[in-house]
Amino acid sequence: MGSSGYQLWPEAWCEACDDLIDFEESGRAKGHCAECGPAYRQARRYGITIQKVNAILRVQDDSCAICGEYPGDGGTEGISYWQIDHDHARCDRSGSCGRCVRGLLCKTCNIRGVAWYERLPDDRRDWPSMNAYLADPPAQRPEAKVSTWGDLSGVRARAGSFCSWRSTWPL
């Protein structure tokens, strides 16, 4: 409280995790704390919602769709737990249309895996888990639609695999 009896910063709660927002903390997005904000910005940049990210992660068992690891890395906008992979050949505009999103990968699989592998001639593509991922991308599967209560709440990408408590009850 200021000396005149009013609050210097308005009290607000993150729309995703219900944590108190620190307005002086960098990396936050409107309505979100500094930990959830990067996930919301990343999803928006790729034309999907955080609820869709949650649904994709549910299908992928909260792990990288290729190597199965539980990633976490520091991105330019703060902590970004996932790299959103999309098919550059499907997008007819700069950025992502949302329909071209294939899945969520760890940084290594996205940058050093998919980008490199797609440039190989077809006769040299002999990585079984990568071939399976490219043939049937998790984000394109029918079960990756937003369909459970757990998809609607929180930022599953923020917390990784600890989210097993999330509801899997259908909407």
Side-chain angles (χ1 to χ4, degrees):
M1 290 265 186
S3 59
S4 60
Y6 63 89
Q7 226 173 342
L8 294 176
W9 296 105
E11 189 172 275
W13 302 94
C14 178
E15 295 172 10
C17 68
D18 291 327
D19 284 349
L20 187 62
I21 295 174
D22 180 355
F23 286 93
E24 294 179 351
E25 195 171 26
S26 64
R28 64 179 190 79
K30 184 177 180 182
H32 300 100
C33 68
E35 289 189 48
C36 295
Y40 271 85
R41 282 191 300 275
Q42 183 184 41
R44 187 173 55 239
R45 185 170 47 250
Y46 286 92
I48 59 176
T49 64
I50 200 66
Q51 291 81 10
K52 177 67 173 178
V53 170
N54 288 343
I56 296 167
L57 284 172
R58 175 177 40 79
V59 169
Q60 294 181 196
D61 294 323
D62 290 307
S63 62
C64 174
I66 296 171
C67 70
E69 292 296 316
Y70 300 105
D73 65 83
T76 58
E77 297 179 330
I79 295 172
S80 174
Y81 292 90
W82 300 100
Q83 301 274 315
I84 296 177
D85 173 48
H86 69 289
D87 186 351
H88 296 259
R90 283 189 66 188
C91 291
D92 58 354
R93 63 179 181 94
S94 63
S96 172
C97 62
R99 294 182 308 278
C100 61
V101 171
R102 293 187 284 208
L104 297 146
L105 307 176
C106 67
K107 186 175 184 178
T108 301
C109 286
N110 191 37
I111 295 173
R112 295 192 184 119
V114 176
W116 162 80
Y117 196 74
E118 287 183 311
R119 290 191 298 263
L120 288 175
D122 289 340
D123 62 329
R124 308 265 332 262
R125 294 184 180 190
D126 59 357
W127 186 357
S129 60
M130 182 69 77
N131 290 337
Y133 171 77
L134 293 172
D136 185 25
Q140 304 295 321
R141 296 179 194 157
E143 61 268 24
K145 69 177 185 160
V146 177
S147 62
T148 70
W149 287 105
D151 296 341
L152 298 178
S153 61
V155 178
R156 196 174 183 121
R158 169 185 163 180
S161 63
F162 98 94
C163 298
S164 61
W165 60 269
R166 293 199 191 282
S167 172
T168 55
W169 285 85
L171 294 176

